[in-house]
Amino acid sequence: MGEIPFNFERRWLTVWLKNHAGNQLVPKGAFEEVLATCSQVRLADQIEPLTEV
């Protein structure tokens, strides 16, 4: 549906998708930058807090 273009400060781009699950924002870019903004992780069908482990 849309895109937030790559930015050298953020070091990623974001794509906005609409599918069977609804609206989703999908980041693509430098792993360490994307991970630094995450607070949760999906494991199987569960959403868990993201920890150092």
Side-chain angles (χ1 to χ4, degrees):
M1 289 187 53
E3 179 180 301
I4 301 171
F6 182 84
N7 175 310
F8 284 100
E9 287 181 31
R10 287 184 331 162
R11 298 178 52 209
W12 65 6
L13 66 85
T14 305
V15 179
W16 178 17
L17 305 172
K18 186 173 185 174
N19 59 25
H20 69 281
N23 293 327
Q24 294 181 315
L25 292 174
V26 180
K28 179 180 179 185
F31 178 77
E32 62 276 5
E33 299 294 334
V34 175
L35 183 62
T37 66
C38 296
S39 62
Q40 298 174 326
V41 62
R42 183 185 310 230
L43 300 171
D45 291 334
Q46 303 270 341
I47 295 178
E48 302 286 338
L50 186 61
T51 65
E52 292 291 324
V53 175

